[in-house]
Amino acid sequence: MKFKDNHADKFLDELWKKIEQGLLNAQKSDICEFLLYLLNKHAAVLEKNDFLHEYSPNELARILVSTPSKIKTIQNNIAFKFMNNDEYKDIFKDLIKKLGNKKIEIFESENKGKICFSLESREQKSILDEKLKKLGGAKYDFSFNSELVSIDKGKFLELLEKEVGGENIIKIVKNISKKDKILSIETAKEGFKLFVL
């Protein structure tokens, strides 16, 4: 483990500021979460610049001698307790990036009008849910499996339009698979226009 360039002082400054705000009186779990947050932000841990998100919860559980469920809880708590607004927004940007470069594969559901993808990150699920609700009560469904997200295709495309713009959704739409075939961009654009109008 080593600090990123010029981050050692920032690490110490943030730690000291939090100590002055009463960190030593916090619960042990809060102290551990804050220290992991600082390490993730200011250090290259295990040769990764964002080790809390570049490793899966299963891998992190083995590294940190914990459980995958506990790791997911820690990641979620860090997002809500310690991240500033820009860091918090970056969580959703990371989700969009993963959807765009096929790190998360999107499928058209057999349930017509829905798309599905696997999403393990609790903080990404929370932010996705928050953004969908702002679109007029839309919500994703994870009743079948807690990591399988099912969203109305129109609302999903509307969300993408709002968050990344019409030109940038093409890359993500290309990744929506339908029975092992990629949907045509034209079909997706037409579908998107119907839902936006």
Side-chain angles (χ1 to χ4, degrees), residues 100-154:
N101 64 19
K102 281 192 165 188
K103 286 192 176 180
I104 298 176
E105 194 167 2
I106 309 168
F107 292 94
E108 186 169 4
S109 173
E110 290 180 15
N111 186 359
K112 291 191 178 186
K114 300 253 185 194
I115 55 115
C116 300
F117 53 91
S118 178
L119 190 57
E120 197 171 16
S121 164
R122 286 183 188 165
E123 67 269 30
Q124 286 179 339
K125 280 193 265 192
S126 296
I127 293 168
L128 177 62
D129 190 44
E130 176 185 310
K131 289 184 179 293
L132 285 168
K133 283 179 181 175
K134 286 180 182 177
L135 287 176
K139 192 168 173 29
Y140 66 84
D141 176 22
F142 58 90
S143 56
F144 179 71
N145 177 332
S146 65
E147 292 180 5
L148 186 64
V149 176
S150 175
I151 305 172
D152 176 82
K153 193 187 323 181

Side-chain angles (χ1 to χ4, degrees), residues 60-140:
L60 281 172
R62 291 186 56 75
I63 293 165
L64 300 175
V65 190
S66 187
T67 64
S69 179
K70 177 81 172 163
I71 296 299
K72 291 176 191 177
T73 299
I74 288 169
Q75 290 170 329
N76 198 45
N77 288 345
I78 286 172
F80 291 104
K81 291 180 186 177
F82 306 117
M83 288 185 171
N84 65 35
N85 286 337
D86 290 336
E87 292 169 317
Y88 186 75
K89 288 176 185 173
D90 285 344
I91 294 170
F92 188 73
K93 288 179 186 174
D94 181 56
L95 170 61
I96 296 298
K97 184 178 171 184
K98 287 178 179 176
L99 290 171
N101 64 19
K102 281 192 165 188
K103 286 192 176 180
I104 298 176
E105 194 167 2
I106 309 168
F107 292 94
E108 186 169 4
S109 173
E110 290 180 15
N111 186 359
K112 291 191 178 186
K114 300 253 185 194
I115 55 115
C116 300
F117 53 91
S118 178
L119 190 57
E120 197 171 16
S121 164
R122 286 183 188 165
E123 67 269 30
Q124 286 179 339
K125 280 193 265 192
S126 296
I127 293 168
L128 177 62
D129 190 44
E130 176 185 310
K131 289 184 179 293
L132 285 168
K133 283 179 181 175
K134 286 180 182 177
L135 287 176
K139 192 168 173 29
Y140 66 84

